[in-house]
Amino acid sequence: MVAGNRPAAVAGTWYPGTAGALAREVDAYVADVDVVPRGRLHAIISPHAGIMYSGPIAAHAYKAAAACGPYDAAILVGPSHFVGFDGVALYPSGAFESPLGPASIDAAIGDELRKLSALIVVRPQAHGREHSLEMQLPFLKRLLPDLPIVPLLMGFQTRDTIEGLADALTRAAADRHVLLVASSDLSHYLGATAAATHDQRVTSCVAAFDPARLLDLLEEYPEAERGRYVGCGAGPIVSVMLGARGRGARVGRVLKYGHSGEISGDNSGVVGYVAAAFGAFTDVQ
């Protein structure tokens, strides 16, 4: 099934629109990361705000992934901010355009995922304006430049969708080393102190590698409030954590936490960010 290339939607606004400027910014964030885990890495969590805000956090996730590679493909799972739908929307083929070059899509893995779960459907129109996956490309294209991607957007974040996607992520491309990427910001527009309190509930689940507890936390809130108090991509995080466990990950590690107020200076209403990794690590934390 041919969808054609997806044009970049937020290049030049959320991140630099030219290759040189974008590479310099990504390189600067990555250079500030001092410690990365060692061993076999199966999954990461990375934020997706404007790069000046979330880039310093995302760099920790992608430097860890690059240090623990190589991989055969990256399956990207993010929330849909603009289009509501049941299940998971796959962009099936072609590439995602980027100032650093196109990220080619692994159509074979996408086809396999669709066969594994009826929840996963071809829906390229859901990806048109969406930034949650696009904001992963600056780091992917700079640190893992030849890695093909499989773009997935989660619609309504129900338990059935979260667990169904997790099962497909566990079983897809079982003979290949796949990097799972959950794209999510944490709490939205709370004061910095309140944000840290709410975000710590999420990061404690991540550090304990406890996706069941995180899913229970998500369901403490009505659907309309989950992004504000837990995270806009909490469903993708749970699916990726479960999928990573099914693929052999044994440890969860929070690599870096921060919020937008640390950049803007305005702590009255911040967005929280976390970088995390899941795998079978050989270094000492």
Side-chain angles (χ1 to χ4, degrees), residues 43-176:
I44 59 173
I45 301 170
S46 175
H48 57 236
I51 198 168
M52 69 177 290
Y53 297 105
S54 66
I57 308 299
H60 287 74
Y62 282 101
K63 191 167 184 176
C68 295
Y71 310 92
D72 296 309
I75 301 178
L76 313 182
V77 187
S80 176
H81 288 87
F82 302 108
V83 182
F85 54 89
D86 291 315
V88 178
L90 168 70
Y91 199 98
S93 61
F96 271 34
E97 297 288 353
S98 158
L100 296 176
S104 62
I105 292 172
D106 191 316
I109 293 180
D111 285 344
E112 184 180 355
L113 284 164
R114 286 198 301 123
K115 291 173 183 176
L116 287 168
S117 175
L119 292 165
I120 302 170
V121 299
V122 172
R123 198 188 299 263
Q125 64 272 22
H127 292 260
R129 296 175 56 201
E130 183 54 55
H131 59 273
S132 66
L133 303 187
E134 183 176 334
M135 291 307 300
Q136 309 310 311
L137 298 187
F139 291 93
L140 277 169
K141 289 301 299 178
R142 191 62 178 161
L143 297 182
L144 296 161
D146 299 320
L147 191 65
I149 64 171
V150 182
L152 300 173
L153 290 176
M154 185 177 290
F156 302 123
Q157 296 180 29
T158 65
R159 180 177 286 263
D160 285 347
T161 293
I162 290 167
E163 293 179 341
L165 176 58
D167 180 67
L169 294 176
T170 295
R171 295 193 286 153
D175 60 340
R176 302 170 70 186

Side-chain angles (χ1 to χ4, degrees), residues 41-46 75-78 154 161-171 178-184 186 199-218 230 233-254 274-281:
L41 188 151
H42 293 276
I44 59 173
I45 301 170
S46 175
I75 301 178
L76 313 182
V77 187
M154 185 177 290
T161 293
I162 290 167
E163 293 179 341
L165 176 58
D167 180 67
L169 294 176
T170 295
R171 295 193 286 153
V178 172
L179 175 67
L180 305 180
V181 178
S183 172
S184 183
L186 300 186
D199 293 345
Q200 195 276 331
R201 299 181 73 190
V202 176
T203 58
S204 67
C205 295
V206 170
F209 204 173
D210 193 344
R213 180 156 58 98
L214 181 54
L215 182 52
D216 288 343
L217 173 62
L218 184 67
V230 184
I237 289 176
V238 175
S239 291
V240 163
M241 289 174 69
L242 288 167
R245 174 172 288 163
R247 301 185 77 92
R250 295 293 174 261
V251 177
R253 186 171 299 181
V254 173
V274 67
F278 305 92
F281 301 122

